[in-house]
Each structure stands twice: as C-alpha cells, then as structure tokens.
Amino acid sequence: MPSFRLRLDLQLFSQEKTEPATPKKRQEARKKGQVAKSMEVPSAAILLATLAYLFLFGGHMKERFEKLFTISFREYMFWEATVPNILGIFRQLALEGLLLLMPIFLIALVVGIAANIFQFGWMFTTEPLMLKFSKLNPVTGAKNLFRLQSLVQFLKSLIKLSIIGLIAGVMLWDHRTDLVGLAKLPLEGIFHYAAQMSMELGLYIAVALMILAVLDFYYQKYEFEKSIKMSKQDIKDEHKKTEGDPLIKGKIREKQRRMAIMRMMQDVPKADVVITNPTHFAVAIAYDASSMDAPKVLAKGVDYIALRIRGVAAEHGVTIMENKPLARALYQQTEIGQTIPPELFQAVAEVLAYVYKLKNKAQ
C-alpha cells in the first residue's frame, strides 16, 4: 500500500524559544529596565577618564594641594584657636578641596551616563526600583548562586584580578632596578617616582579593563538576546493581542457589513430607478437637479443583495429596468454614495428620461 507522509513543523507544538524577539517584546522589556548592558563599561570608562584627567592636570592639582598644606602650616597654625577662626579655616579648606575634586566628580558623572547611553540609549524607568518580595526569598537567592550567570561573574572577577596582578607584576619586574635605587633618593623624589609609576600602572590597568568591558558588553548583549527569544506560539499569541483574534475580527466585519447593507436598503426607496442585469446585478440611481450635479448611486449589489434591492424597490414603487451592460458597468465603476462617471452620463440620462416619461404618463 502506498504510504503518505505529512511534514509538520514541530515547533508549532512546542514552547521552545527559537525566534528573535518582536519589537513589541523588546519595548516591553525596555519598560521593565531589561536591556543589554554591562556594569564593567561605566566603571572602566570612569577609571580611564579620571586617570586621563590626572595625567593632564595632575601637576596643577599637585600645586594646589601643596598650597593648601603650606598655608595651613604657615598661617593657620598661628591663628588664635577661637570658634570663628576654626570654622573659617574648616570652610576654607573644605571649599578648596571641593573645587579641586569637583572636576573629577563631574567627569565620573558625565562619563558614567555617557557609557550607559552608549550601551542602550536614553532610558528612564522606575520598574527596577520597585520592591519585589520574590527577590527576598532565600531559596531563590540560594539557587541564583549556582546559576550559569553567577559562574560567569565569578570567572570575570577572577580574570580581572589575574590581569591586574599580571600587569602590576610585569611593571614591578621591569622597574626592579629603579625600585632598589629609591633608597638613595630624597623623600620628594620617592613621592614623585611613586606617583609617576602609579599613574602609568593605572593607565595600563584602565585600558585592559576597558577591553574586558567591551567584550563583556557583547557577551551581555548575546545573553540578553537569548533571554528574550520567543517561541512560535508566543509570537502568535502576541499577534492576537495586538491585531485581535481573527474570529472576533471576522464577526466584527460581518456585523459592519450587515449594518452597511441595512443603511443601503433604507436608501433604495429614495431612488428614481433600479437598473438590473436582471438577476446578478442591481444598481439604484437617484437624481435631483436642484441638489445634484450628476446622478448618484444609492445602492448596489450582486446575487442575493441584488435580489433584496429589487424586492425593496418593488415594495416602494421604484421603477426597475433591465439593462445588462449598464448595470454591470455601474456596479464595477462606481461606489455607493458617489456620482456616476462621465462616460456613463449619456446611458443613465436616457434611462432617467424614460423613467420620467413613464411617471408623467402615469400621472
């Protein structure tokens, strides 16, 4: 016996998430604060920008700090220890220190915001700040310790510490001769060398952390895309919610069509003539010279609707005329409520003239 095989897409019957997220799903995730982001990018960018600022303006900051210490030991130490003097000294030192550190604070703020905007654009939502008691569940917290993401975070921290240790070790080994010779330098020379070496070490570490941060960002983006994937059934359900259930939409369209037919039938008694095929098409025409520039189509239909139009016209004494070519042309070229096209003026005028002639004879 011949065998028949039917190919089925088994994903339609499973909930396996294999499809990319739709724009609506991405928008909903964004409203909840769920975006592809790496916490390493802002921290590495802030460290790199701060060190770059110190590298460029460190000399100026050093002079300002030296001036603060100098004036403290040369002037403030000899002031009378009264409450107003002590408060004045404190305010002055606090103001000078704030002015010195303010650029660093501003750089950290601006760079941190820019790094986040670079990752996921401008976004403001309070959803992540809302209290969720599920996060306080110790069982859930214990499970999170053994998740793959927790292992990845541990490995990232281990890699960062290893790279920082490696960079520091290589630098110390390269400068081992200079470090041994520091004992022969004055205190100011030791501080100067230590500051220079610390700055160099910090820049190397910041660049390395920035490279790791960029790699982590792409990893987080990959994980985010995987987490918001949808199954085929999810996409179908979303489409139903967005566009509406096809069955319900069909019922609504059917109801609208019936209402339109009812309104159309109410206008048939106002027609001057109904032009028929005679069985397939029916078009109701009306013309009022005082208010219309051309004859207007009040109703039209085929088959069952055409039969109903002829029935209503007969009930209200509207003239019914058979003209197969004209009925077909009117049905295909006109819409309900519109005037007839110019190329059909002559044919319709002849029909209306004949109808008016019949009415005059009847009177």
Side-chain angles (χ1 to χ4, degrees):
M1 294 179 64
S3 61
F4 297 93
R5 294 182 180 180
L6 180 63
R7 288 187 177 183
L8 294 177
D9 189 354
L10 296 180
Q11 290 184 359
L12 293 174
F13 302 93
S14 69
Q15 292 299 319
E16 186 179 357
K17 300 183 183 299
T18 57
E19 305 301 314
T22 60
K24 185 175 185 297
K25 176 69 177 290
R26 294 178 184 276
Q27 186 178 6
E28 291 176 351
R30 189 176 181 85
K31 288 180 179 179
K32 297 177 181 178
Q34 299 173 0
V35 290
K37 61 180 178 179
S38 170
M39 300 304 297
E40 308 295 334
V41 174
S43 57
I46 290 172
L47 177 61
L48 185 60
T50 302
L51 289 173
Y53 175 81
L54 292 176
F55 181 80
L56 295 174
F57 302 101
H60 174 69
M61 294 184 67
K62 172 178 167 292
E63 293 177 1
R64 296 285 299 272
F65 273 114
E66 287 179 351
K67 184 178 179 181
L68 282 179
F69 281 102
T70 300
I71 196 172
S72 298
F73 286 106
R74 290 184 178 179
E75 295 185 18
Y76 296 156
M77 290 289 292
F78 300 99
W79 284 17
E80 186 177 352
T82 60
V83 174
N85 287 342
I86 294 174
L87 292 177
I89 293 171
F90 178 78
R91 282 195 297 267
Q92 185 65 25
L93 292 176
L95 179 61
E96 291 291 335
L98 183 62
L99 291 176
L100 275 174
L101 298 176
M102 183 62 70
I104 296 178
F105 294 154
L106 291 176
I107 287 174
L109 178 63
V110 173
V111 172
I113 295 174
N116 284 313
I117 292 177
F118 166 78
Q119 293 185 89
F120 49 81
W122 179 258
M123 181 181 68
F124 179 78
T125 177
T126 58
E127 184 72 19
L129 302 178
M130 296 179 63
L131 179 62
K132 295 182 179 179
F133 292 99
S134 59
K135 295 181 179 180
L136 304 178
N137 190 343
V139 177
T140 305
K143 289 181 180 179
N144 290 336
L145 293 176
F146 302 98
R147 294 176 60 190
L148 179 60
Q149 287 82 353
S150 301
L151 179 60
V152 172
Q153 292 295 331
F154 173 75
L155 291 177
K156 284 195 303 183
S157 302
L158 190 61
I159 292 173
K160 282 171 36 177
L161 291 175
S162 301
I163 290 177
I164 292 173
L166 180 62
I167 294 175
V170 170
M171 281 201 63
L172 291 174
W173 180 256
D174 291 340
H175 292 78
R176 61 187 183 279
T177 305
D178 298 332
L179 291 173
V180 173
L182 288 178
K184 300 177 182 179
L185 295 179
L187 185 60
E188 183 178 356
I190 294 174
F191 279 127
H192 178 74
Y193 182 82
Q196 185 178 2
M197 186 175 177
S198 299
M199 184 64 63
E200 184 180 355
L201 177 62
L203 286 174
Y204 282 135
I205 292 175
V207 172
L209 292 180
M210 178 57 72
I211 295 174
L212 287 177
V214 173
L215 295 176
D216 181 63
F217 168 70
Y218 284 105
Y219 170 75
Q220 296 295 338
K221 190 173 183 180
Y222 165 76
E223 285 292 327
F224 173 73
E225 291 294 332
K226 187 169 71 172
S227 67
I228 63 173
K229 278 188 174 181
M230 306 171 67
S231 65
K232 292 184 179 294
Q233 185 62 41
D234 292 337
I235 295 177
K236 290 174 63 178
D237 293 341
E238 181 186 287
H239 181 75
K240 284 184 179 180
K241 291 180 181 178
T242 304
E243 303 295 334
D245 193 321
L247 295 176
I248 297 177
K249 291 178 66 177
K251 291 180 180 179
I252 293 175
R253 285 196 296 267
E254 178 63 22
K255 186 175 181 180
Q256 291 174 342
R257 189 176 69 87
R258 290 179 180 177
M259 293 177 64
I261 292 175
M262 290 177 60
R263 289 194 298 268
M264 182 178 68
M265 292 302 173
Q266 292 175 357
D267 290 336
V268 172
K270 303 175 185 177
D272 293 315
V273 63
V274 172
I275 303 173
T276 66
N277 194 25
T279 57
H280 294 295
F281 296 92
V283 182
I285 302 293
Y287 178 64
D288 185 356
S290 62
S291 60
M292 298 181 186
D293 296 329
K296 181 185 295 185
V297 176
L298 299 184
K300 70 174 187 175
V302 294
D303 297 333
Y304 174 71
I305 303 299
L307 180 62
R308 289 189 59 187
I309 291 175
R310 292 196 302 271
V312 174
E315 291 178 4
H316 292 82
V318 178
T319 304
I320 301 175
M321 287 191 61
E322 178 182 338
N323 190 325
K324 296 180 180 180
L326 182 58
R328 184 181 294 272
L330 286 171
Y331 182 84
Q332 293 176 347
Q333 299 182 33
T334 60
E335 296 295 335
I336 298 172
Q338 294 182 352
T339 57
I340 63 173
E343 56 268 23
L344 299 179
F345 279 176
Q346 181 65 32
V348 173
E350 292 177 359
V351 171
L352 289 175
Y354 179 75
V355 170
Y356 294 152
K357 185 177 180 180
L358 291 177
K359 289 183 177 180
N360 291 333
K361 286 184 177 179
Q363 292 177 356

